[in-house]
Amino acid sequence: MSHQDLVLPTPERFSAFPYDPPYSIQTDLMKHVYSSIEQRHVTIVESPTGTGKTLSLLCSSLSWLTDERERARKGQQGVQSAGPAWVSAQAAQIRQRELEAQDREYEERLAKARQAEARLRALANARVTKRQRAPARTTQVPDGQNEEVYLPDREMDETEDNISPAVRELMAKLNKTVSNHERVDAQEPTCAKVYYASRTHSQLTQVIPELQKLKFSHVSYTQAHDPSQGQGSGNVVSSIPHSSSGGQTKKRILEVDEEDYIETDRRQWRTVSLGSRRQLCINEDVRSKPGDLDEKCRELRDGQGERRCPHLPPQEDQVRLIDLRDQILASPKDIEDLAIAGKNAQTCPYYGSRRAIPQAELVTLPYNLLLQKTSREALGIDLSNQIVIIDEAHNLIPTLLSLSSVRVTSHTLSTSLNQVTTYHEKFRTRLSPLHSLHLKRLINYMEAIQRVMDDWKATRSEAGSTTEARTQVFTISNFMEKLGRKAVGINLLEIEAYLKKSKIARKISGYAETVSGEEELPPLSHLSPSNVISDSVSKKPATRGTPPLHAIEALMVGLVGAREDGRVILSVVGDGTHPEELEIKYQLLNPSTTFREVVDSARSVILAGGTMSPISDVIAQLFPWLPSERLSTFSCGHIVPRSHVQTLCVTKGPAGSLLEFKYAQQTDQRLLNELGQLILNLCSVVPGGIVVFFPSYSSLNLAQKAWNTTQHMVKFGAKKTVFLEPHASSGVESTLREYADASTDVSDKRTGAILFAVIGGKLSEGLNFSDELARAVIVIGLPFANKNSPELQERMRYANEVEKRLGNKRHPGAKDAASELYENMCMSAVNQSIGRAIRHRMDWASLILVDRRYSSASIQNKLPAWIKDDIAVCDGFGQTMKHLGQFYRERKQSGSLVATGLK
């Protein structure tokens, strides 16, 4: 009997959840996620911030992982052997002992790793550190010598050698044997795991603390284990608890020294946090120098002897890396903890974390490492039959489109063409025919692109400065035709595979930067290749940057990808502060193209977010191909009482003017004056902090300018301290800190603060405006995107094409796919801004939507369920003030009653 024949029933309760009892919506969410994983579903989960979403996702997915482990164990033990029943029973017992022995050995190894880590931490705290050898030196070629380092690796030339296939096969076997030294524990199998992804590392830092709250009991196989106790909604308890040496307690305490110990009565999930080199590099010499850290790391990784990073063990000695891997898996660590562990062990945590992936049970990682195929391959991530959780998934669609889009400026193209041409001229007598052929094809292709861009510029320069004159969109086939027959005949996949395998882009860029020092290469059109770079080598140290050829490579990948789903956009870019130049951009129109690889590989994919509405848009854009029986959704209400949230649609201002903030009205002084008076009246009613979101930076700037003239800004300041979203990201932290202090300040006749921000700006998502920081969130207008944008026009046109291709029929009066897309993009941004308030169960606030268009059913249906069900449309401003006054009086009275009860 296969273990897959044993169906896991969805638990009624999750005993590993740290709070007993959980809220009903938390239980419902955990049951939905558990069953979705078991049934191999793709599911979209909407759970408002403050409902314990992260904790519920971890508890349910890891509970399934625990139960799946027991199911697999039972399946392995239940394999029927030929012969009598007693033979099968004995075989099952033998298999059970073997499995327990494997678990015991692994458990003991991780226990030793925890001890080793604690010793290293103690040494670091005592300032006893191992003396480092001299820092590795980056490659630098003095006085024109050793130019061989810039030649391609010999392994690419093997097809050129006169070696028989039989001999080559034998050499491959020998190389494979040698490469086994790189993987000391390669025989250890991978395990089922959860990949937990979010948009930023700051969001991922919340995962480990939530994980450590879960009450999964430690499972010890040091003595006989009773598999009958296996399933328990994730809370698997050892049949014989491991006691201390004195037998006084059931809690397992691993003593390290008199003061440093680790409690392991709870299960220590094997967890690894994946980060970038910039976050995890511990080579201070590399970090202190300017340039691209990724490229410097790759250079030191491939170096030998003193040219190799001292923190990265050589290929023939991977014991240090394996030890660090075990320390990483021994106890959950976030990115900061991981970097500290690497420093203490003097071993690279970036590569140590990569080695930990196969044996990890939980992997946390940012979006880009999960969604990009090249990143997954580089990290060795195999999603086959694994669980994928994508948190903050409201950002998923724009992230997929952004990761698949490529921009190449005329300067980057020219620089890359110069570098490749110069390199080929310099080394052509020493390059093999294979390398020379590929480089010539690459040069021809870049020359064809440059010619198309130059021709387009010449024809557009006389057309004026309109958007249409500065931008043109091509289908992939149309653009390829413009490149000419010679370029079209080039196999781009072959060129891309060559660049990837040979890594020659770094060789080319390294040579160019070394010989030119800090000087830029002049345009190829002005100088011949022989004059671009002299044969003598400069003594200036090279500053490694990202090879420009990487951008050309990414562009080629796009051009040979999903041709129907992509466009090429030529445009003139630049502003008054920078000279104008041409840009070629590959734009992916269909986000499901790349995401389908993840969905097809994984066992289950869970998209989770506080505000996923409108969910229909997520389904339409990401899963148009997915059978409905494999797709499920879950949307829960908020944990706060309904009396704690008030949602108002304000259609008229204090003077009775109809409020509609379209793009054409953003300079209407009468309307801006009405809005200023509206906000001033709200400042008199709303206690604490008010956050006001405008649809764009331009609308906020125009309103601020008008209010400076009408003295509304001064009037705001008399009631509340006024703050504006900072222009630079560096000012966000200080602005928020000052705003938080002012929101609770009621001195000097002021009652809190007011913060003006922008939807989709620096303050519209990922920030927590709880309690007094946001007793009201005001959203001005609807943030519709610019319909004149060529990229948006193509996305809308493509949406209608797909709808027609799929044969979808619209209901009478329903919008077409393009209009739905346009409206959904707007409402998704609105929902994120609304979600900044109401952050926990006892929080309360008013959500005020200022625009008559919010009264339409189509707009309200795209709001989160916990908001739209109780929205009140105010036909007059007097009605608005009445609703607000009543709400805040009730909250004040309720707060007084609570305070009295506490006394």
Side-chain angles (χ1 to χ4, degrees), residues 596-833:
R596 183 167 183 169
E597 297 174 355
V598 174
V599 175
D600 286 344
S601 299
R603 176 192 181 93
S604 179
V605 176
I606 297 115
L607 306 187
T611 49
M612 294 298 294
S613 298
I615 292 179
S616 59
D617 180 59
V618 179
I619 296 173
Q621 292 202 60
L622 290 181
F623 310 112
W625 48 270
L626 194 68
S628 58
E629 58 269 18
R630 202 192 162 199
L631 183 65
S632 62
T633 63
F634 177 90
S635 182
C636 67
H638 217 300
I639 58 173
V640 300
R642 297 177 73 170
S643 61
H644 283 208
V645 183
Q646 180 187 59
T647 307
L648 302 178
C649 170
V650 182
T651 62
K652 292 181 180 179
S657 300
L658 199 63
L659 300 177
E660 187 172 0
F661 296 92
K662 293 185 177 180
Y663 178 79
Q665 278 80 46
Q666 65 179 351
T667 57
D668 187 331
Q669 297 301 309
R670 181 190 59 81
L671 190 60
L672 290 175
N673 186 62
E674 187 86 338
L675 177 62
Q677 192 60 42
L678 181 152
I679 294 175
L680 185 62
N681 288 344
L682 297 184
C683 287
S684 301
V685 179
V686 180
I690 301 176
V691 183
V692 183
F693 285 106
F694 277 76
S696 65
Y697 284 104
S698 62
S699 61
L700 173 57
N701 294 335
L702 288 169
Q704 180 189 0
K705 183 178 179 181
W707 293 339
N708 284 332
T709 303
T710 60
Q711 298 298 302
H712 276 100
M713 293 298 289
V714 175
K715 295 175 183 178
F716 297 154
K719 293 181 178 294
K720 294 181 181 289
T721 308
V722 179
F723 294 89
L724 292 166
E725 179 172 319
H727 294 291
S729 298
S730 57
V732 169
E733 186 175 346
S734 60
T735 299
L736 290 176
R737 184 170 55 250
E738 294 171 11
Y739 170 74
D741 292 339
S743 295
T744 56
D745 184 10
V746 294
S747 62
D748 196 24
K749 298 182 180 180
R750 290 178 177 174
T751 56
I754 184 169
L755 172 62
F756 293 98
V758 176
I759 297 174
K762 306 175 188 68
L763 306 179
S764 64
E765 64 174 272
L767 296 177
N768 184 349
F769 291 105
S770 62
D771 300 319
E772 294 300 317
L773 298 186
R775 289 309 184 194
V777 172
I778 304 173
V779 180
I780 309 297
L782 289 160
F784 283 107
N786 180 11
K787 268 191 175 180
N788 293 324
S789 164
E791 290 92 341
L792 179 58
Q793 290 176 355
E794 285 302 315
R795 283 194 66 191
M796 294 176 66
R797 188 179 297 115
Y798 177 80
N800 280 338
E801 290 175 359
V802 172
E803 182 183 45
K804 185 177 179 181
R805 190 189 314 155
L806 295 176
N808 296 338
K809 295 182 179 180
R810 297 193 298 269
H811 298 293
K815 297 182 177 70
D816 61 16
S819 299
E820 279 293 316
L821 171 66
Y822 188 58
E823 196 172 89
N824 289 337
M825 291 170 61
C826 167
M827 291 308 299
S828 178
V830 169
N831 292 338
Q832 288 309 305
S833 298

Side-chain angles (χ1 to χ4, degrees), residues 285-411:
D285 181 59
V286 171
R287 295 181 64 89
S288 63
K289 292 180 179 178
D292 190 302
L293 190 145
D294 288 336
E295 288 302 316
K296 288 185 286 186
C297 174
R298 293 186 186 101
E299 183 181 343
L300 293 176
R301 176 197 63 191
D302 297 337
Q304 300 293 330
E306 292 186 353
R307 297 192 184 278
R308 186 175 178 84
C309 179
H311 304 293
L312 185 62
Q315 299 291 349
E316 62 274 8
D317 179 19
Q318 294 285 286
V319 175
R320 279 170 52 201
L321 209 57
I322 296 299
D323 289 343
L324 178 60
R325 179 204 65 185
D326 289 346
Q327 291 176 30
I328 292 171
L329 295 174
S331 59
K333 299 174 177 63
D334 60 19
I335 289 295
E336 289 74 18
D337 296 331
L338 190 55
I340 292 172
K343 286 182 180 179
N344 292 341
Q346 287 299 299
T347 305
C348 177
Y350 176 76
Y351 284 101
S353 61
R354 290 171 62 163
R355 291 299 295 267
I357 294 173
Q359 296 169 35
E361 295 165 312
L362 174 65
V363 180
T364 67
L365 69 171
Y367 276 180
N368 60 309
L369 298 184
L370 174 74
L371 301 176
Q372 289 182 303
K373 184 178 180 180
T374 53
S375 297
R376 295 198 302 271
E377 291 176 345
L379 292 168
I381 291 176
D382 182 6
L383 298 179
S384 300
N385 208 33
Q386 307 290 14
I387 303 165
V388 174
I389 299 176
I390 300 179
D391 203 355
E392 303 298 330
H394 60 271
N395 284 304
L396 183 58
I397 292 174
T399 300
L400 285 166
L401 294 174
S402 175
L403 290 174
S404 301
S405 299
V406 184
R407 297 177 183 268
V408 177
T409 64
S410 53
H411 173 75

